[in-house]
Amino acid sequence: MDKLDYDLFVIGAGSGGVRAARIAGGYGAKVAIAEEYRIGGTCVIRGCVPKKILVYASRFADDFEDARGFGWSIDEPKFDWASLIAAKDREIARLEGLYRAGLAAAKVEVLEERVTVTGPNTVQLVKSGRTLTAGKILIATGGSPMLGKAIPGIEHVITSNEAFDLKRLPERIIVAGGGYIAIEFASIFSNLGAETTIVYRGDKILRGFDEDLRDRLTEAYTKQGIRIVTRQIFTRIEKTAGDLIGHLSNGATLTADEIMFAVGRAPNTSGLGLDQVGVELGWNGHVVVNEYSKSSVDSIFAVGDVTGRAALTPVAIREGHAFADTEFGGKPRMIEHTLIPTAVFSTPEIASVGLPEHLARERCSDVHIYKAAFRPLKATLSGREQKMLMKLIVDGVSDKVVGCHILGEDAAEIIQMAAIALRLGATKADFGATMALHPTAAEEFVTLREKWMAPTEAAG
Ligand SMILES: Cc1cc2nc3c(=O)[nH]c(=O)nc-3n(C[C@H](O)[C@H](O)[C@H](O)COP(=O)(O)OP(=O)(O)OC[C@H]3O[C@@H](n4cnc5c(N)ncnc54)[C@H](O)[C@@H]3O)c2cc1C
């Protein structure tokens, strides 16, 4: 083969692609990275980071109320959506700058346009038509919001992409979906003052999470005034002079200023050319890879959301790093996709690591549950009724803690630490032997003593 333009060509400058490019560049590889939108990818530009900024903004509503119980008096706080979005945009631009600087420091060439794959070692820049060659190609193109079945009027809905840049805060919003993105946005909009409805086709929101978390979050949302309509899908969206009217499968209608679809995400492989070069794609178009992120074509690799493994930023970053270590650093490494801690930044927040109870019962012959629902100390003066839930799931045979679940303030922060314990194989006895840190909510995990029994077990 003639001399190649690059050792590595990365398509997509998001979490996984940027990490892989920087690490490979650091090993001395000649690297280029192409990006069709903005450097930083979904997480930085229109995912985790702006989402968490909006979550923080939305939680001040409760903070102002709670402050009264602690002696503060606050005259009518006012919120301005436009100021929030402008501040968010400034922070994202700053982060994008840091990503660019990191790539420059690793001597990675940045090409700001869409790219397709034309051969095992060739890519084409769509705008300029230039063809470039590379020893290895890394697909790190992420995913995009799906809209589901094409229903009449679907062009009037927004997705998370647009939700971050709305010109004004809607007074009424309907969020379609029951996954974490739908649930987080419902909480953001509701806390900021929008009349909020969730429409979900399933029975209960947050499929896959522990049932206790799902039930308690449903209860909390209902109490806060978020309406949850289950077992319904939209059949049509109608736009009138001032409203959007969503028609549901049961014939009912819901009226709002915005309808946001958060009904799933699809890997960005459409039109990428991968099928023509023999890369195997999975059932929903994701790139099928082995444990070293290699596709069915030896020179083509993929990391992050596009592989359909676990669609989370830290996972994409780890996969990108392991790929670069393996292929350019002489340090073969694969990533374990187990015990991935995860959170829903709803208010109240939920977070989990390990197995939910229903899976533990399928996989372990004996399961012990420990749980506590209590009013956190702060709520005693604020008067807030929301209880916190902490739940430990223990394999009765080995005494290993196989699942930790929390609903309540700082759930995600606590679960990140619990994930280390689970990874080290901590037992319930280890949790119990750990000294409590008082007064905290997290201390419940090390002080839970009584096994929880279902009402029928307890009676028997
Ligand atoms: C609303 C929302 C909230 C989220 N919140 C969290 C969270 O709290 N925690 C968490 O861990 N994860 C969260 N995620 C998921 C997280 O953002 C993704 O898992 C992560 O960004 C995946 O990284 P990636 O590198 O695989 O892809 P991405 O970050 O999506 O990057 C892919 C990049 O490739 C570019 N691209 C695509 N095709 C081409 C092409 N042909 N040519 C050139 N460029 C191309 C895209 O423009 C994009 O910039 C959230 C996602 C969303 C949408």
Side-chain angles (χ1 to χ4, degrees), residues 22 316 318 320:
R22 281 181 43 214
R318 289 276 170 104

Side-chain angles (χ1 to χ4, degrees), residues 176-415:
Y180 82 95
I181 295 177
I183 298 312
E184 289 173 339
F185 271 97
S187 186
I188 290 168
F189 283 120
S190 169
N191 281 353
L192 291 176
E195 183 190 300
T196 306
T197 306
I198 295 169
V199 172
Y200 178 47
R201 65 178 179 171
D203 288 345
K204 209 194 279 181
I205 57 173
L206 293 176
R207 190 159 56 91
F209 278 85
D210 188 88
E211 294 296 314
D212 272 326
L213 298 186
R214 298 173 78 187
D215 289 337
R216 281 174 190 263
L217 194 70
T218 303
E219 219 177 273
Y221 269 28
T222 310
K223 266 201 193 135
Q224 289 167 23
I226 299 177
R227 190 169 159 210
I228 304 179
V229 179
T230 53
R231 298 192 196 92
Q232 293 302 314
I233 54 168
F234 284 104
T235 54
R236 181 160 70 92
I237 313 286
E238 191 186 336
K239 190 171 167 62
T240 64
D243 297 320
L244 286 179
I245 303 171
H247 294 255
L248 300 179
S249 33
N250 64 0
T253 56
L254 294 170
T255 305
D257 305 305
E258 298 286 357
I259 299 180
M260 172 177 163
F261 268 45
V263 295
R265 293 175 63 81
N268 285 332
T269 50
S270 152
L272 202 55
L274 292 174
D275 38 353
Q276 278 102 305
V277 299
V279 172
E280 184 190 346
L281 298 180
W283 64 274
N284 67 342
H286 62 269
V287 181
V288 177
V289 289
N290 70 10
E291 60 273 41
Y292 291 102
S293 296
K294 185 186 277 196
S295 79
S296 55
V297 172
D298 262 359
S299 54
I300 301 183
F301 296 75
V303 295
D305 286 9
V306 76
T307 64
R309 291 181 278 188
L312 290 167
T313 290
V315 178
I317 291 174
R318 289 276 170 104
E319 289 169 358
H321 201 130
F323 155 78
D325 281 349
T326 305
E327 298 301 323
F328 297 96
K331 290 183 271 183
R333 203 154 73 74
M334 45 183 158
I335 296 303
E336 280 173 39
H337 291 88
T338 51
L339 288 177
I340 299 172
T342 177
V344 180
F345 294 100
S346 46
T347 306
E349 189 165 293
I350 68 177
S352 293
V353 60
L355 300 176
E357 184 177 336
H358 67 277
L359 285 186
R361 290 200 184 280
E362 270 173 44
R363 294 182 196 174
C364 309
S365 56
D366 187 22
V367 173
H368 298 169
I369 305 293
Y370 295 82
K371 62 180 167 184
F374 56 95
R375 224 170 154 204
L377 181 56
K378 189 175 164 197
T380 54
L381 293 204
S382 69
R384 194 162 291 283
E385 277 177 22
Q386 181 61 53
K387 284 195 172 152
M388 186 143 186
L389 174 79
M390 319 269 296
K391 180 169 177 182
L392 279 187
I393 299 172
V394 177
D395 176 348
V397 176
S398 64
D399 196 40
K400 264 194 187 169
V401 178
V402 293
C404 288
H405 307 277
I406 307 182
L407 174 144
E409 207 167 311
D410 297 328
E413 306 288 344
I414 299 168
I415 284 293

